[in-house]
Amino acid sequence: MRTVFTVAIVGATVVGLAVGAGYVFQRNLIYLPTPGPLPAASDELPGGQDVTLRTADGLDLSAWFFPADGKPNHDPQAPAVLVAPGNGGNRSMRVPLAEQLTRHGMSVLLMDYRGYAANEGKPSEDGLARDVRAAREYLVEQARVRPDRLLYFGESLGCGVVSELATEHPPAGMVLRSPFSELAETAAHHYPFLPVRTLLKDRYPVQDNVRALSGIPVRVVYGDADSIIPPEQSRAVAEAAGTEPVVVHGADHNDLVLLQGTAVVQTVRELAQGAIS
């Protein structure tokens, strides 16, 4: 009896420690930044500009702005794409996507969240909401992008960021690449032994955000071999948006075909053509 009791106590202690560690260090598991410094934007693509995004809570975030077709300035008639990246790396990984979009007549802003690249601060859901608002403010007020020509592109975690932004500042259209329905759903998939729905500080309710939108064209792209975001979650987001998803067969979450492939670029192009007259 004493042995059974001892085993139970040890087991409960181990579980308690795992839960406690999961709560304290959860943001270290969610946000995986690659530090800077980074090269100048002009070294990445012709016409690239180093810009600073000023957040409502006083942070200065570095970003790159690439005008369409490598021109010195943004053409006010050209669509612009605000790219909200996923949880890993930094904006240098998204340059190939920006290169293709600018080649097709779209200006692109590549941002980094707080705590990413050389940016100060620590990432959180509230923090990233401020960061993406600073990015939109730069595009509309400094780059002079017309709001009716502004598209949002969210990549994985970035889908949570731009879908929340869209509920307050609707874009001309929005592309969600590999979205989850809600962060807790994905966490529960990977950590079924932890009470993640209770512990999780950052929620990112993508499906609910999309469902709350009205009159905004939304497109969803995902790979059906995604090992990080269950494909059924991306399908649920597409269903909430009332759109047929673009499925890239055999593609995993971080495959190049989903970072910069034809399906992704073509989806953005078609959305721009359909949403912007």
Side-chain angles (χ1 to χ4, degrees):
M1 180 66 70
R2 181 176 298 176
T3 300
V4 173
F5 180 74
T6 302
V7 170
I9 290 296
V10 171
T13 301
V14 170
V15 171
L17 289 172
V19 170
Y23 182 79
V24 172
F25 298 106
Q26 60 182 268
R27 285 182 172 142
N28 297 89
L29 300 174
I30 296 171
Y31 306 103
L32 305 172
T34 297
L38 297 178
S42 57
D43 292 337
E44 296 292 322
L45 292 177
Q49 302 169 18
D50 296 302
V51 302
T52 300
L53 313 177
R54 181 74 172 178
T55 69
D57 56 344
L59 297 182
D60 288 330
L61 307 179
S62 59
W64 290 332
F65 181 63
F66 301 107
D69 303 313
K71 296 177 181 178
N73 297 295
H74 171 72
D75 179 353
Q77 297 304 314
V81 184
L82 192 171
V83 176
N87 70 324
N90 57 47
R91 64 186 182 274
S92 64
M93 297 171 56
R94 284 82 188 181
V95 170
L97 174 63
E99 180 178 18
Q100 295 196 55
L101 295 180
T102 57
R103 190 185 304 153
H104 290 296
M106 290 172 269
S107 296
V108 178
L109 178 71
L110 295 185
M111 65 178 295
D112 268 318
Y113 308 123
R114 60 188 63 204
Y116 284 70
N119 291 337
E120 57 185 332
K122 294 183 178 180
S124 67
E125 183 174 13
D126 288 342
L128 269 58
R130 295 186 178 95
D131 299 346
V132 78
R133 280 163 174 74
R136 181 189 180 276
E137 182 178 357
Y138 168 82
L139 287 170
V140 172
E141 296 187 4
Q142 296 186 51
R144 304 299 181 187
V145 174
R146 287 169 42 183
D148 63 350
R149 294 183 175 274
L150 177 57
L151 305 174
Y152 298 162
F153 180 95
E155 172 197 295
S156 191
L157 182 76
C159 297
V161 177
V162 292
S163 64
E164 188 278 330
L165 175 66
T167 63
E168 183 177 349
H169 298 287
M174 182 167 62
V175 175
L176 303 177
R177 199 280 277 175
S178 306
F180 46 75
S181 51
E182 182 183 10
L183 187 59
E185 293 292 330
T186 302
H189 173 80
H190 290 287
Y191 303 100
F193 51 89
L194 293 176
V196 294
R197 289 179 176 83
T198 301
L199 297 175
L200 208 60
K201 300 175 183 178
D202 297 340
R203 313 301 296 192
Y204 296 105
V206 179
Q207 189 173 353
D208 288 345
N209 289 341
V210 168
R211 191 179 287 118
L213 302 178
S214 177
I216 300 172
V218 177
R219 302 291 181 268
V220 173
V221 184
Y222 70 90
D224 61 5
D226 197 320
S227 60
I228 295 178
I229 306 298
E232 58 267 22
Q233 293 190 23
S234 295
R235 288 196 296 270
V237 172
E239 183 177 348
T243 186
E244 188 68 26
V246 176
V247 183
V248 183
H249 298 292
D252 201 350
H253 193 77
N254 291 316
D255 287 352
L256 288 179
V257 68
L258 286 177
L259 292 174
Q260 61 204 50
T262 301
V264 172
V265 174
Q266 187 64 23
T267 298
V268 180
R269 289 185 64 195
E270 290 175 356
L271 181 63
Q273 292 167 357
I276 300 174
S277 58

